[in-house]
Amino acid sequence: MKPPRRYTIEAVVIRHREYGDTDRIVTLLTPTHGKVTAVAKGIRRSASRRAGHLDLFTRSSVLLAQGQDMDVVVQAAGLERFRLLDSDLRAYGDAHYVAELVDAFTVDRVANTRLYRLLVRTLGSMSEATSMHLRAFEMELLDETGYKPELHQCLECGRPMVEGTNHFSSALGGVVCETCWAPELKAQPISNDALKIMRNLQTDPARIVRLQSINSHLEREVRNLMREYIVHRLDHRLKSVSVMRSLTPPGGD
Ligand SMILES: [Zn+2]
């Protein structure tokens, strides 16, 4: 019988759960292999040398052996632990939200290097993350996973959007102009300012993140529009109670 194939990958632990008495199942996001689920056998024994290197939100170099049902973690060496998360409950909650969204928007073994970099960058700046940091993360995640909302042309008539009483339809995937709006579209009103912010989140998120003057009402409007859109896109994938719960608090009241 051939020995199992082994390979080393860089990875961030985005989810884990206890398995049996001493094992742990880890979900890893990797730049080269996409999302990988693996079992770390015996990791919960106190003497395990892999313990700590496979904690949540740790970036590690992981040696895996191909298994029949699931790959097995042979070795893990921590490269970066996003330590600022330790002392800040809000940052920890936000990091959970970020990791859960990445998990929910990805399928196994489809590599997306840009998404991996987005995750590392976002977790690295979590301690100073504002509401708009999180919105910028959401917009980039949507873009990287193929769900970028249309914010420039009406999805019904195709004309460029002009200022006015416009709507945003999660079901259609973007904006609907004043002329085309109808109650059966089940679209939410979107203010001119919210539309501007969301467009900027697509084109120049760094500028929006630096803005000091976004009022809380506008922040809430953008957060709610993004939330509804994300929930709609994920549809049945996002039935997890924990994800639903964590979709509410980040970045505001
Ligand atoms: Zn229209």
Side-chain angles (χ1 to χ4, degrees), residues 153-161 175-181:
Q153 290 179 316
C154 170
L155 285 169
E156 287 287 302
C157 68
R159 290 198 196 96
M161 298 293 287
V175 283
V176 179
C177 79
E178 202 167 335
T179 314
C180 295
W181 178 80

Side-chain angles (χ1 to χ4, degrees), residues 133-144:
H133 273 100
L134 291 167
R135 302 298 82 82
F137 160 77
E138 291 166 347
M139 196 61 97
E140 200 170 334
L141 174 80
L142 291 168
D143 194 1
E144 291 302 339

Side-chain angles (χ1 to χ4, degrees), residues 11-31:
V12 172
V13 181
I14 56 171
R15 187 154 59 101
H16 63 185
R17 64 185 165 90
E18 313 294 273
Y19 187 68
D21 287 337
T22 59
D23 303 347
R24 178 177 292 160
I25 290 176
V26 290
T27 303
L28 309 167
L29 193 76
T30 80

Side-chain angles (χ1 to χ4, degrees), residues 69-86:
D69 300 319
M70 201 184 290
D71 289 358
V72 179
V73 177
V74 180
Q75 275 174 20
L79 301 172
E80 182 178 12
R81 166 116 169 83
F82 299 101
R83 289 197 177 282
L84 290 164
L85 302 174
D86 291 345

